[in-house]
């Protein structure tokens, strides 16, 4: 259950491609557990999801032709492929996780979903055989161990994705400049998410558990203008919720980075040895801040990709018009539920714009 919940919340996973370098993408399991979605502004939604009922098997390691194009041997223990059916042939979605704990949960979740869709029973041994932590617990005769009860502590010698990423070092002044730029991007991203109008608030906030988007948006002809089916409505709710969470997360990261930079502004002591120690501490702090800002930038790119895909997929629809053009024009936002109640299939953009003037 914990693995599925983590998958529903979403994670940054390294997606491998036929061409070029692998890249980080935000992956998320749909609320109804039927679709795996990843977000990119370069592809439509139908080209960036897998229906779970088409999943054939999970292959561990880097075995597929896609992996062979750009292998990462040091991260093979964190890699897996989802083999799924696509127009009568088997294709792979190839993924590397950032650490052992993420790998454990995602692979466990996919194994469970595969068994569920086949209405098959799966033993605990088969479900968790990929987990090094589980195998170690078995070796220590801990037969009743539960994966979620095992500590998530990196052991000495373990290699994770962060260990393979070289982050350029910046001076405190450069870090402040970079942080200011990220804050500007965050402000724009928050405005875009709020401008999507899925809920009517002064500030972006996460919907409560159990919120029904169909209730928020209303049903009937106007609802049909915007969504083809309930699945699209559910995914829009999920995606907007995730965008909101990412925006809040980036805001917190930048807050933490600011606090760290402020501690570096205090003058160094005059003692020679202590000056040297202070310089070492400053370099360590700069590296930690660089890592925080790198994570913030990755999550901001996720939000920007998700918003770009939203506006592209809804281009020409009432939803896309409201989301993109109202944000661009800087008009006061209006909830989608209010707007949709007033829509008909012949509603034009000029009509919509007039509601906000």
């Amino acid at each position: 259950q914990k693995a599925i919940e983590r998958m529903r919340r979403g994670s940054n996973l390294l997606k491998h491609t036929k061409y070029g370098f692998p890249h980080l993408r935000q992956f998320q399991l749909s609320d109804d557990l039927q679709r795996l979605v990843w977000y990119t502004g370069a592809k439509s939604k139908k080209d960036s999801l897998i229906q779970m009922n088409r999943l054939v098997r999970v292959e561990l390691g880097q075995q597929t032709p896609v992996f062979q194009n750009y292998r990462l041997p040091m991260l093979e223990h964190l890699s897996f492929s989802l083999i799924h059916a696509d127009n009568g042939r088997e294709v792979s979605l190839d993924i590397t996780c950032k650490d052992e704990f993420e790998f454990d949960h995602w692979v466990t979740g996919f194994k469970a979903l595969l068994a569920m869709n086949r209405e098959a029973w799966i033993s605990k041994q088969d479900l968790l055989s990929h987990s090094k932590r589980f195998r170690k617990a078995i070796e220590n005769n801990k037969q009743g161990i539960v994966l979620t009860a095992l500590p998530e502590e990196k052991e000495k010698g373990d290699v994770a994705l962060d260990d393979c990423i070289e982050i350029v070092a910046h001076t405190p002044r450069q870090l402040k400049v970079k942080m200011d730029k990220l804050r500007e991007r965050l402000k724009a991203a928050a405005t875009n998410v709020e401008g999507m109008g899925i809920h009517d608030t002064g500030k972006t906030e996460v919907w409560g558990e159990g919120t029904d988007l169909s209730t928020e948006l209303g049903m009937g002809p106007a609802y049909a203008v915007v969504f083809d089916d309930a699945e699209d409505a559910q995914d829009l709710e999920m995606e907007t919720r995730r965008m909101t969470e990412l925006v809040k997360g980036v805001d917190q990261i930048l807050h933490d980075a600011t606090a760290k930079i402020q501690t570096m502004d205090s003058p160094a002591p005059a003692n020679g040895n202590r000056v040297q120690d202070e310089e070492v501490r400053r370099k360590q702090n700069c590296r930690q801040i660089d890592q925080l800002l790198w994570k913030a930038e990755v999550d901001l790119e996720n939000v920007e990709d998700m918003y770009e895909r939203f506006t592209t997929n809804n281009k020409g629809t009432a939803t896309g018009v409201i989301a993109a053009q109202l944000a661009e024009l800087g008009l006061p936002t209006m909830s989608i539920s209010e707007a949709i109640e007033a829509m008909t299939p012949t509603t034009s953009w000029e009509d919509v714009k007039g509601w906000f003037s």
Side-chain angles (χ1 to χ4, degrees):
Q1 185 65 31
K2 187 175 180 180
I4 296 296
E5 287 306 311
R6 285 201 180 190
M7 294 168 74
R8 289 177 63 191
R9 285 202 303 270
S11 297
N12 287 320
L13 304 175
L14 196 63
K15 181 180 179 293
H16 296 252
T17 64
K18 294 179 182 178
Y19 315 102
F21 300 111
H23 40 257
L24 283 169
R25 288 283 180 253
Q26 179 76 192
F27 282 81
Q28 192 169 12
L29 183 66
S30 64
D31 288 340
D32 61 6
L33 315 185
Q34 297 303 308
R35 296 169 301 287
L36 174 69
V37 181
W38 61 97
Y39 301 106
T40 168
K43 291 184 178 181
S44 65
K45 177 184 173 182
K46 67 181 180 63
D47 293 324
S48 50
L49 66 78
I50 293 178
Q51 297 288 348
M52 286 294 95
N53 59 7
R54 295 182 182 177
L55 183 60
V56 178
R57 63 184 179 278
V58 181
E59 289 186 359
L60 304 183
Q62 300 177 3
Q63 305 178 46
T64 66
V66 172
F67 267 127
Q68 297 305 313
N69 286 337
Y70 196 94
R71 293 193 68 244
L72 298 173
M74 292 184 68
L75 298 176
E76 185 158 8
H77 63 294
L78 302 178
S79 301
F80 65 92
S81 299
L82 299 178
I83 310 301
H84 57 101
D86 182 19
N87 293 324
R89 61 192 181 95
E90 289 188 356
V91 296
S92 65
L93 174 62
D94 304 280
I95 292 171
T96 295
C97 298
K98 74 174 185 290
D99 56 37
E100 176 185 346
F101 320 116
E102 193 172 71
F103 174 80
D104 282 356
H105 284 96
W106 279 88
V107 174
T108 299
F110 284 126
K111 285 182 177 181
L113 290 170
L114 191 59
M116 180 184 74
N117 287 330
R118 291 176 176 173
E119 298 183 350
W121 180 83
I122 183 171
S123 68
K124 183 177 180 180
Q125 180 70 37
D126 290 338
L127 184 65
L128 302 176
S129 60
H130 59 279
S131 170
K132 184 175 76 173
R133 293 182 298 157
F134 176 73
R135 294 195 302 270
K136 185 176 290 188
I138 293 296
E139 290 172 3
N140 294 330
N141 295 319
K142 296 180 179 179
Q143 302 295 333
I145 197 68
V146 178
L147 183 62
T148 53
L150 295 173
E152 293 193 3
E153 298 174 357
K154 185 178 178 181
E155 295 184 1
K156 187 176 180 180
D158 286 350
V159 178
L161 180 60
D162 289 350
D163 300 317
C164 302
I165 296 176
E166 185 176 352
I167 299 176
V168 178
H170 294 88
T171 64
R173 181 183 296 274
Q174 290 171 327
L175 289 171
K176 289 179 181 178
V177 171
K178 185 174 183 179
M179 190 149 42
D180 288 342
K181 291 180 179 178
L182 288 173
R183 285 198 179 280
E184 287 300 313
R185 286 175 62 185
L186 175 63
K187 182 179 178 181
T191 299
N192 286 338
V193 174
E194 187 176 329
M196 289 170 68
I198 304 304
H199 50 297
D200 190 15
T201 62
K203 292 185 178 180
T204 306
E205 62 184 29
V206 180
W207 287 329
E209 292 295 323
T211 300
D212 183 357
L213 189 63
S214 62
T215 301
E216 291 289 317
L217 295 175
M219 301 298 287
Y223 178 85
V225 170
V226 180
F227 297 114
D228 292 333
D229 52 39
E231 180 181 297
D232 288 337
Q234 291 169 4
D235 286 350
L236 176 60
E237 177 183 352
M238 174 188 75
E239 292 169 17
T240 309
R241 184 175 66 238
R242 185 56 180 158
M243 291 170 72
T244 302
E245 292 168 353
L246 289 171
V247 164
K248 285 190 169 186
V250 171
D251 184 58
Q252 183 61 52
I253 290 173
L254 295 182
H255 175 79
D256 294 343
T258 299
K260 274 192 169 293
I261 285 182
Q262 288 173 346
T263 64
M264 297 169 61
D265 289 337
S266 55
N271 179 281
N273 290 334
R274 293 184 66 183
V275 169
Q276 190 174 13
D277 291 343
E278 180 68 15
E279 184 60 25
V280 171
R281 185 183 70 83
R282 280 177 176 269
K283 287 183 178 179
Q284 291 174 339
N285 281 342
C286 281
R287 176 170 174 76
Q288 291 173 357
I289 295 168
D290 267 319
Q291 290 173 331
L292 285 172
L293 296 187
W294 175 78
K295 185 180 188 312
E297 189 162 17
V298 168
D299 285 343
L300 265 177
E301 287 175 357
N302 284 327
V303 175
E304 291 162 351
D305 278 345
M306 293 165 78
Y307 180 73
E308 182 181 353
R309 194 179 79 171
F310 169 80
T311 54
T312 299
N313 284 355
N314 291 283
K315 202 169 187 178
T317 68
T319 307
V321 168
I322 291 173
Q325 299 197 32
L326 288 184
E328 182 180 338
L329 294 174
L331 295 175
T333 58
M334 171 185 186
S335 72
I336 284 287
S337 56
E338 293 171 339
I340 288 179
E341 285 178 3
M343 283 183 192
T344 70
T346 59
T347 298
S348 69
W349 164 238
E350 291 302 321
D351 294 331
V352 175
K353 191 165 61 173
W355 301 340
F356 296 86
S357 58

